[in-house]
Amino acid sequence: MASILDDYQDSISNLASSQQTRSGLGIPHTGYVNARLEKETHIFNKQRIDFTPPEKINSLVVSSNQLCMSLGKDIIFRLDLAKADEPNQVELGRKDEAKVYKLFLDHTGSHLVIALNTSECLYLNRNAQKVRPLSRWKGHLVESVGWNKLLGSETNTGPILVGTSQGHIYEAEISISEGGLFGTTPDQYFRFIYNLEEEAGPAPVCCLEVERGVDGKCFIIATTRKRLFQFVGKVPEGADQQGFGAIFSMPLNHLPGFREFPASFGYSEIAFYTPKLRSSPNAFAWMMGNGVLYGSLDYGRPDSILSDEQVWEYPSDVDISINKPISIVLTQFHFLLLFPDQVKAVCTLNGQVVFQDVFLDKFGSLTRMIKDPSYGQIWIHTEKVVFRYNVQRESRDVWKMYMNINKFDLAKEYCKDRPECLDIVLAKEAEHCFQNKRYLDSAKCYALTQNYFEEIALKFIEAKQEEALMEFLLKKLASLKPSEKTQTTLLTIWLTELYLNRLGMLEGDPSKQSLYLKTRDNFRSFLGSPRNKDCLFNNRATIHELLASHGDTENMVHFAVLMHDYERVIAHHCQHDNYSAALKVLSKIKDEALFYKFSPILIQHIPKMVVDAWIEMGKQLDARNLIPALVNYSQCGSTVQISEAIRYLEFCVYELKETHQAIHNYLLSLYAVCDPKSLLVYLENAGSNSDKIHCDLKYALRLCAEHGHHQACVHVYKVMEMYEEAVDLALQVDVDMAKSCADLPEEDEELRKKLWLKIARHVVQEEKDVKKAMACLSSCNLLKIEDVLPFFPDFVTIDHFKEAICNSLEAYNKHIEELKTEMEEATQSAKRIREDIQEMRNKYGSVESQEKCAACDFPLLNRPFYLFLCGHMFHYDCLLQEVYPNLPAYKQAKLEDLQKKLSATGQPSKSHHRPKDTDMSGQGKGQPSREQMKADIDDIVAAECVYCGELMIRSIDKPFIDPQRYESEMQSWL
């Protein structure tokens, strides 16, 4: 941006020439390019109707897509434009010289009133093929009809107004339901209700329009040659009082409101524009002698619905005295005037002619122009030809007209779907605001245009409107796409610089304190905007440099918080000795890494608050990473300071159940230095199982030894199962402590005896207390008097040991008697066992020849068999077949091995000496004998009866039929 500012003077001097060059080369000032591929059609697109009338056209009317025209003297031609191939002709059936004067078609296209030049009227319904006379209307030359849009239907017109050439207004009603088989005329009534006059007397009623407003009000507009009348009133409710008489029944001295113009064509015509189907008109255009009175209709006004009226003069290129307008049609933004040879469209916004269509002489003089109020199509006819105009995108250029009259909101409304036009409007609005010194509004508009960024920025810089420049940059930044990262970065940094400059100028002025606070809030909102978050984060180093260069530490801290750069925030607080604020930020964000980084600094100044914060963090912090901070703090502190370190470590050990060795070792070291009582409590709470103690026992032992904590050392020795060292050290402190240590090795009686001997020797030799020595004998049942005697000196008399010696002798005698009793019991038991063995050798059972195997039901004596005490008998192979599947795997393997070995030995010889040699040779080789193998097989197979033993109990949950054979077994039963 510096280069732009440096070259500002050159840019200003070359601006005019560059703009001329761009315009000469056809380069657009905005970023949009006109890419139209073909010329756009005009708003009013004329089309000649392919229709050649058999006779000349007298009159034509169109409504709701229903077209009716009078041809010649006696024909009414009707056509439904939705069914163009089904025309219809109706003859009037007149034999006199009467001609059609005018046609009047209602808004539904159902009711056609035919006014004849003989002051007669005929009626033709859309569904009828025959005209019917309106007898009550006879004698009146009808100039206009005001249809009832609220009550009219296809069969009944409801109350309507009829204007005549004599200035009379009549109320009438037409209904085909009453004019059926017995009726003579469709007109229900025809009564006079009012008379319109001008200065010269009665004047023809050129036009009548009936509209309903709010609150049941009825508005009637009637025109003569020079006057426009308004009648306002409410129509009485009730079926018999639906007419308009109450509106016109006013006092004689109370004239209706009217507008009058001096000039006159001898006729006038009024046109209305209805924006939507079945809605009320919102604009009117009255063609009269002085021009066209154009305005809007406001139904909310109490007396007159005409508003925003203005008179547009006729085009200057038309001589009204010679070439008078014939008809007028109103569209949304234009009114079309029909002249005898051409049509001109005038814009209602500026009165300029925007369309002109000249007709050839061969078509003849133009007769009438009408508009279908329902479909918006415009129809023009001569005596020979019919033309139709289709209105296409009428509002396409309206934006330009609104823009030229500085109605920019309306201009933008009509070009919101055309960005190239919207850009022009915005640029014009921005320039208009700039010239009127509304710089902020100008900046907002410029930001939405595609004009060159540099030109706009230099424009505000030249005008010294820094606030407007900032507004322009903010709006421009908001309009950038996410992909335009370079532009976003430049604008963001530029805006930051502008904000800081403005804050710097306002900060020193007390009178502008409120403006300073507002600007600061805006700056912070800019920094915290989600849209700018990524850009600010990626360029946070640059933003910090800008903030630092302006010395704005307050906003620098705020920006660091927004960017979640809490490290910078905390470091800033620490540099300014605001340690409480730094800890507050730490506690709020709960970032473990920042706790580890800044704790060594903070604990030096606010130790209690820091420890409280650590405790609040709980398990989120790893206490091992805080040990450096604790070490630095405890080394330079007093006992009070060390107590804070102990407090946190105790929280870790007892509350968080921390098991890491470093934590426990450091706590031990602090205990050893400052709190020996807590040291012993800690060791006792840790228990006696070394596997469940989290500190290093050797380190603990060394600490306790260095600081002379003997009780703690004894405890550590006990946990380490170094009982001799524990007893030796305990004897230096307390004999009772040594006794408790000596009883610990409960399973090692020899060691226990050794430890107690140490205690006894210490009591005898060091303390020289015989009574204590004797007490040791009573405390430990492993020590005898003879074990302790060597420790006593030779000059000690036996009186001191008399009782102990007697007790010892009694114990020996008692033990001897117990041994004798045990020997006698053992002798008797051996005798009974020998008797049982002898009895078992002589036990036998008898087997009859007809006995059968319990398993196969074949004779038992045919093969080797087993006889059980329960009475069940099995063949060897049958029993083996039953038992084998239920044996454990290792027994199955052993049984197979024994069977193989048994079969390998073969049958024994009949010689008496050969088996002995064989057996001896087998035994010599370490192999079992054949008899031994048979006995081993019997032990496995015949250990119990398969029907009475545990095998039967274990098989109670097994099915009777093997699941693998279930299907085949089922098939065998079929």
Side-chain angles (χ1 to χ4, degrees), residues 51-70:
F51 172 70
T52 303
E55 298 185 51
K56 69 176 183 178
I57 303 173
N58 298 322
S59 182
L60 183 146
V61 289
V62 181
S63 182
S64 295
N65 232 17
Q66 302 294 319
L67 182 145
C68 299
M69 69 175 69
S70 171

Side-chain angles (χ1 to χ4, degrees), residues 583-639:
L583 182 61
K584 184 178 180 181
V585 175
L586 265 179
S587 302
K588 182 178 180 181
I589 62 174
K590 299 184 183 302
D591 189 323
E592 298 87 349
L594 295 181
F595 262 105
Y596 302 145
K597 182 173 183 178
F598 289 99
S599 288
I601 300 173
L602 297 176
I603 200 170
Q604 299 290 339
H605 302 88
I606 47 174
K608 185 178 185 306
M609 296 175 63
V610 172
V611 171
D612 291 340
W614 289 351
I615 292 174
E616 184 180 354
M617 288 290 289
K619 290 188 176 181
Q620 297 182 45
L621 293 179
D622 188 349
R624 292 175 294 176
N625 296 327
L626 296 174
I627 289 179
L630 293 171
V631 171
N632 293 334
Y633 170 66
S634 60
Q635 286 179 351
C636 62
S638 63
T639 305

Side-chain angles (χ1 to χ4, degrees), residues 81 106 110 132 142 257 364 435 441 550 603 663 690 721 773 848 938:
L81 297 176
D106 79 319
S110 301
R132 304 180 68 179
V142 177
Q435 291 175 357
D441 295 335
H550 285 266
I603 200 170
I663 303 299
S690 59
E721 297 183 356
E848 301 294 336
D938 291 342

Side-chain angles (χ1 to χ4, degrees), residues 327-367:
S327 294
I328 186 171
V329 164
L330 180 62
T331 62
Q332 186 177 5
F333 298 105
H334 304 85
F335 58 83
L336 281 74
L337 296 172
L338 179 69
F339 296 92
D341 60 344
Q342 62 182 322
V343 174
K344 289 182 179 292
V346 180
C347 179
T348 58
L349 299 176
N350 53 19
Q352 296 180 359
V353 177
V354 297
F355 173 75
Q356 181 175 342
D357 192 4
V358 179
F359 288 77
L360 300 177
D361 294 337
K362 66 178 182 178
F363 297 132
S365 178
L366 301 178
T367 306

Side-chain angles (χ1 to χ4, degrees), residues 49 51 53 56-63 66-71 76-77 79 81 100-105 112 269 327 367-372 377-388:
I49 304 302
F51 172 70
K56 69 176 183 178
I57 303 173
N58 298 322
S59 182
L60 183 146
V61 289
V62 181
S63 182
Q66 302 294 319
L67 182 145
C68 299
M69 69 175 69
S70 171
L71 301 178
I76 297 297
F77 178 84
L79 179 65
L81 297 176
V100 175
Y101 177 62
K102 283 186 178 181
L103 297 178
F104 304 97
L105 187 62
L112 177 66
E269 184 174 339
S327 294
T367 306
R368 185 77 189 280
M369 176 174 63
I370 58 174
K371 176 187 172 186
D372 186 344
Q377 295 175 334
I378 301 170
W379 298 80
I380 298 175
H381 72 91
T382 65
E383 292 183 347
K384 299 183 291 184
V385 185
V386 178
F387 297 94
R388 180 175 63 191

Side-chain angles (χ1 to χ4, degrees), residues 445-465:
C445 294
Y446 269 131
L448 300 175
T449 67
Q450 297 294 320
N451 289 22
Y452 295 111
F453 174 83
E454 297 85 351
E455 293 181 5
I456 300 170
L458 289 172
K459 199 169 187 176
F460 286 115
I461 293 173
E462 181 187 20
K464 297 181 180 180
Q465 295 296 320

Side-chain angles (χ1 to χ4, degrees), residues 623 647-658 663:
R647 183 163 70 94
Y648 177 67
L649 292 175
E650 287 178 341
F651 170 77
C652 294
V653 171
Y654 297 116
E655 298 294 333
L656 301 183
K657 308 300 181 183
E658 182 65 54
I663 303 299

